[in-house]
Amino acid sequence: MAVPIQQKSTGARALQAWFNPLKRSAGFLAFVLMRVTGIGLVIYLLLHMVVIGNLLRGPEGWDALVATMKSPAVLVLDVILIAGILIHMLNGIRVTIIGLGFGTSSHKGIFWTLMAVAALLLAYSGWLVFTK
Amino acid sequence: MNQHGRFGPTRPITLKILRYKPGFIDPPRYDTFQVQADPLMTVLDALEEIKATADSTLLYRHSCHHASCGTCGMKVNGREQLACVARLVDEGTDEVVVEPLGSAPLVADLVVDMTPFALHMAPSGMALVRDSEFMPEAERPAGVERYTRYEDCIECNICLSACPVANTNPGFIGPAGLAAAYRALVTGERPAAEVFAYVDHDDGVWRCHSAMECSAVCPSDVQPGHKIMALRRELVAYKVKRFFKRG
Ligand code: HEM
Ligand code: SF4
């Protein structure tokens, strides 16, 4: 059944309008990435505080936790977190420059350049996470 | 089967059109129609053919047929275009999905209510007229290579439909209104303080999240996203100046 965006619930409308970069151009993709990573980072921050709360349970609890954190599965999550931080931070630079009215005509170039920097930094961080 | 049409070989294309008539086709559904599309057939040509030969109850808006009235904006395969210049074969798909614009209240089938758009646009105070390009007054002064004409806006509502923010914030002035405000500012048509009062609030220039999709879809090269950013620059400069004057 067809549901035009006007007839969708607020949540479904946001899902379609905010997170679907299909058929859209680079700036829209940047918007989607910013929103996804922004929300992801907030969720991470909350989780992080819960995890840090384990310190209250004394050295044993903490040591067990640190062991889990060093498992390859969690290291993969670390790399995803770093990717989110890099994308959000570098894209934040783009939003700030463009948002002040500078470099608007090259906004796509700025986006792809910053994302290339993110990819390089991510590759380096990934290597550090798994080898050091 | 491929045939030969007036403007070259034709190929069958299925149009999947969103249908909605409150109380009749309710909830909405898609209806499909097949047309033989020659290389020049536009989405609007196809809609007119369907209305004339298959379903006279199909509703859509159009007027000039040449991209200057801004009436026939709709989503073609998920991307906003003017139906009168969107060629079917250029879509490259055997099925072309045609849907109404987002961001504006749906009236019926492909028709949306343009009132909120007009209400957002009106306070910009922008003269909604386009002068002739052939008057002597329109000659470019020496040293000016090209005009960017803000009058280019044909008020089609396409930018609002493509804007991720306008789709969830009906109060947002939107790209077209903000671009018009920028024009009113730089041409001196309205005093800066008045223009800034219109745009300097949560649902004005600050609501934009720079997805720049309005600039990407605008059929008239207004580049509204770029104008929003330029407007912000002017507004920030204005505020900074005012701050230091006061101090
Ligand atoms: C690392 C440095 C960071 C920079 C440079 C940065 C920059 C920005 C900028 C410029 C925006 C506005 C985006 C827009 O207008 O569309 C933004 C939005 C946001 N940021 Fe950050 N940020 C950073 C870190 C963080 C962190 C650590 C969190 C979470 C704990 C976070 C959460 C968010 C959220 C939720 C949004 C809203 C996203 C949206 O509206 O789409 N940011 N950030
Ligand atoms: S700015 Fe462009 S897309 Fe928006 S209403 Fe005007 S012509 Fe249409």
Side-chain angles (χ1 to χ4, degrees):
Chain A
M1 197 193 58
V3 184
I5 190 162
Q6 290 92 340
Q7 298 193 339
K8 289 188 174 172
S9 65
T10 317
R13 203 182 306 179
L15 269 181
Q16 179 177 335
W18 298 350
F19 299 119
N20 182 4
L22 292 177
K23 312 264 182 180
R24 299 294 181 198
S25 41
F28 198 97
L29 179 63
F31 168 87
V32 174
L33 288 175
M34 195 68 184
R35 200 144 269 202
V36 169
T37 53
I39 295 170
L41 285 174
V42 170
I43 294 172
Y44 166 77
L45 192 66
L46 296 174
L47 281 177
H48 185 63
M49 289 193 293
V50 171
V51 171
I52 293 284
N54 273 292
L55 269 178
L56 298 173
R57 293 211 261 132
E60 293 80 27
W62 184 250
D63 287 348
L65 190 78
V66 169
T68 326
M69 290 300 163
K70 287 188 170 162
S71 71
V74 177
L75 291 185
V76 169
L77 290 180
D78 278 348
V79 174
I80 294 176
L81 172 67
I82 294 169
I85 293 172
L86 286 172
I87 292 172
H88 189 91
M89 183 180 72
L90 291 167
N91 205 5
I93 295 173
R94 165 195 160 273
V95 170
T96 309
I97 299 174
I98 306 283
L100 288 173
F102 300 102
T104 354
S105 48
S106 359
H107 75 96
K108 288 182 187 171
I110 295 175
F111 171 65
W112 290 121
T113 308
L114 288 169
M115 288 306 101
V117 173
L120 287 177
L121 290 176
L122 181 65
Y124 180 59
S125 328
W127 177 74
L128 287 182
V129 166
F130 281 102
T131 57
K132 302 279 158 172
Chain B
M1 192 190 63
N2 284 356
Q3 297 164 358
H4 208 82
R6 210 146 52 101
F7 300 111
T10 63
R11 85 186 168 85
I13 289 184
T14 304
L15 278 90
K16 186 172 159 191
I17 303 175
L18 188 120
R19 304 302 303 275
Y20 169 62
K21 296 197 197 297
F24 296 94
I25 305 177
D26 196 357
R29 61 164 194 252
Y30 286 107
D31 281 352
T32 54
F33 302 91
Q34 208 186 54
V35 295
Q36 285 292 332
D38 65 35
L40 296 189
M41 186 183 231
T42 65
V43 173
L44 183 56
D45 292 336
L47 293 177
E48 296 193 310
E49 184 177 310
I50 292 164
K51 190 174 177 81
T53 61
D55 185 345
S56 60
T57 68
L58 178 63
L59 290 178
Y60 51 90
R61 296 172 70 238
H62 79 84
S63 180
C64 75
H65 285 92
H66 57 250
S68 73
C69 70
T71 314
C72 64
M74 50 190 77
K75 285 188 204 165
V76 179
N77 275 347
R79 201 169 163 76
E80 292 75 9
Q81 300 188 50
L82 293 175
C84 67
V85 286
R87 290 193 182 143
L88 277 176
V89 292
D90 288 355
E91 288 300 309
T93 48
D94 290 333
E95 183 182 80
V96 173
V97 182
V98 186
E99 294 162 313
L101 294 180
S103 305
L106 183 57
V107 177
D109 293 351
L110 302 170
V111 178
V112 294
D113 183 356
M114 299 289 276
T115 316
F117 176 82
L119 291 178
H120 279 318
M121 197 67 186
S124 71
M126 191 189 102
L128 307 178
V129 288
R130 184 198 287 240
D131 286 338
S132 162
E133 279 128 71
F134 305 107
M135 296 184 304
E137 302 93 291
E139 286 293 312
R140 275 180 280 122
V144 175
E145 260 180 35
R146 177 177 181 269
Y147 279 134
T148 310
R149 300 185 336 188
Y150 305 112
E151 294 89 340
D152 277 347
C153 178
I154 55 175
E155 302 185 4
C156 61
N157 211 346
I158 275 182
C159 49
L160 269 102
S161 176
C163 171
V165 174
N167 270 284
T168 46
N169 272 78
F172 179 37
I173 293 178
L178 293 172
Y182 179 67
R183 171 181 168 267
L185 181 76
V186 294
T187 57
E189 245 167 85
R190 294 187 68 192
E194 248 176 56
V195 174
F196 290 142
Y198 164 51
V199 302
D200 184 15
H201 54 87
D202 283 0
D203 273 332
V205 76
W206 305 113
R207 178 63 69 196
C208 168
H209 286 268
S210 38
M212 306 297 276
E213 195 61 19
C214 50
S215 285
V217 295
C218 174
S220 206
D221 204 23
V222 171
Q223 306 253 358
H226 297 60
K227 302 296 181 310
I228 297 176
M229 299 307 149
L231 188 56
R232 271 190 190 166
R233 188 184 56 216
E234 300 299 329
L235 179 53
V236 169
Y238 175 81
K239 287 188 170 214
V240 169
K241 268 187 217 141
R242 224 179 35 171
F243 179 80
F244 282 108
K245 253 191 215 151
R246 211 186 280 157

